[in-house]
Amino acid sequence: MTMKKTALVTGGARGIGYGCSTALAKEGFNLVIAGRRPEADCAEAIEALRALGADVAYKTGDVSKPEEREALLKFARTKFGALHVLVNNAGIAPSKRNDILEATEESYDEVMDTNLKGPYFLTQAVARWMVEQKQADASFWGCIINVSSISATVASVNRGEYCLSKAGVSMATQLWAARLAEYGINVYEIRPGVIESDMTAGVKAKYDALIANGGIPLRRWGFPDDIGKTVAVLATGTLPYTTGQVILVDGGMTIPRL
């Protein structure tokens, strides 16, 4: 009997992260899910994933805090003993959308710690573990997937800290891809566009109008499932001769057009 592979998805119990968790469960992965909410608040999502056949372990934690990242990986190691896929999905928007002329250092630090510093150092710790697994077993294959945003290149002057954090994630993807290639560990960036989630609920009217006016060529919202399907393609090794690549899942929104 082949041992099931394990994936760690940060923020994996709702929104885009839940779309990723669902797609991975359907592909036969066991799951470690990390999130800030208590496990009881995620019970419905966890049960739905278990119904797909996944062994699911949930750990409350904040990726911006070193001790909580360490506890998360210790938890994953104790539970499953191996880790094949990391999906760095957890992220936050600024609590207030302030013009960059008015933005605060407090907001900058909060967003950058969660969206960039946390995933960067979680990746470092996971990468060391994956290298250890590769050295112990030459057949080991792992991959790391960063969920960024079209905001990595599309400027929003009322949430500059968010854009900067996602641009940083984009470079981090290239750095880790270059560093880990010798171990056969592939690293990718998925760049979502306008995705229906808690984060976009407050600006729904704005994006509805954008879609209606042709601002998104495919003329619909993106859904967490769209991101999840892309994660599944990468996590299952379907594109083995690729690393460091950006995959845009934005309905064509960032196509330059006249």
Side-chain angles (χ1 to χ4, degrees):
M1 183 177 171
T2 305
M3 181 180 287
K4 292 179 75 168
K5 292 184 176 180
T6 301
L8 165 58
V9 184
T10 63
R14 68 178 174 187
I16 288 174
Y18 182 61
C20 297
S21 297
T22 300
L24 290 167
K26 288 178 179 177
E27 289 292 341
F29 283 84
N30 288 327
L31 296 167
V32 178
I33 294 177
R36 288 180 169 180
R37 294 183 296 161
E39 184 171 356
D41 292 355
C42 308
E44 187 176 338
I46 292 168
E47 285 309 310
L49 294 169
R50 287 176 177 152
L52 294 172
D55 187 350
V56 183
Y58 183 87
K59 175 70 172 168
T60 303
D62 182 341
V63 296
S64 71
K65 295 181 168 55
E67 66 278 7
E68 296 191 25
R69 293 192 300 269
E70 184 180 348
L72 171 62
L73 290 192
K74 184 177 180 181
F75 173 79
R77 212 184 257 262
T78 301
K79 174 66 178 175
F80 292 112
L83 185 64
H84 304 85
V85 175
L86 168 64
V87 182
N88 281 312
N89 164 76
I92 60 171
S95 56
K96 282 187 69 176
R97 287 180 171 234
N98 284 328
D99 185 290
I100 56 175
L101 288 170
E102 309 296 333
T104 66
E105 289 194 38
E106 180 183 18
S107 178
Y108 180 94
D109 288 344
E110 181 183 27
V111 171
M112 295 292 276
D113 283 357
T114 298
N115 292 6
L116 180 56
K117 187 179 82 171
Y120 184 79
F121 284 103
L122 181 60
T123 296
Q124 181 189 69
V126 167
R128 288 171 174 168
W129 185 8
M130 286 184 174
V131 168
E132 175 190 313
Q133 291 174 93
K134 181 72 172 181
Q135 290 172 337
D137 177 4
S139 69
F140 173 85
W141 184 82
C143 97
I144 295 166
I145 302 167
N146 292 323
V147 179
S148 69
S149 166
I150 57 167
S151 294
T153 61
V154 178
S156 297
V157 297
N158 63 349
R159 51 178 191 150
E161 60 271 69
Y162 184 81
C163 296
L164 286 169
S165 73
K166 296 303 183 178
V169 166
S170 188
M171 174 49 74
T173 300
Q174 294 177 66
L175 288 165
W176 288 115
R179 182 65 185 89
L180 297 175
E182 67 178 279
Y183 301 103
I185 298 167
N186 298 20
V187 186
Y188 303 100
E189 176 192 353
I190 294 176
R191 202 175 280 176
V194 176
I195 307 296
E196 190 174 69
S197 68
D198 292 348
M199 193 179 286
T200 54
V203 286
K204 187 175 186 304
K206 172 186 174 181
Y207 290 132
D208 282 343
L210 179 75
I211 292 165
N213 293 325
I216 297 175
L218 290 185
R219 291 185 178 265
R220 70 169 175 86
W221 280 79
F223 301 108
D225 184 51
D226 292 309
I227 309 303
K229 287 175 179 176
T230 310
V231 165
V233 167
L234 301 175
T236 52
T238 307
L239 306 176
Y241 197 54
T242 61
T243 194
Q245 300 304 306
V246 178
I247 300 176
L248 284 152
V249 188
D250 68 353
M253 184 178 175
T254 53
I255 298 171
R257 289 173 290 161
L258 290 172

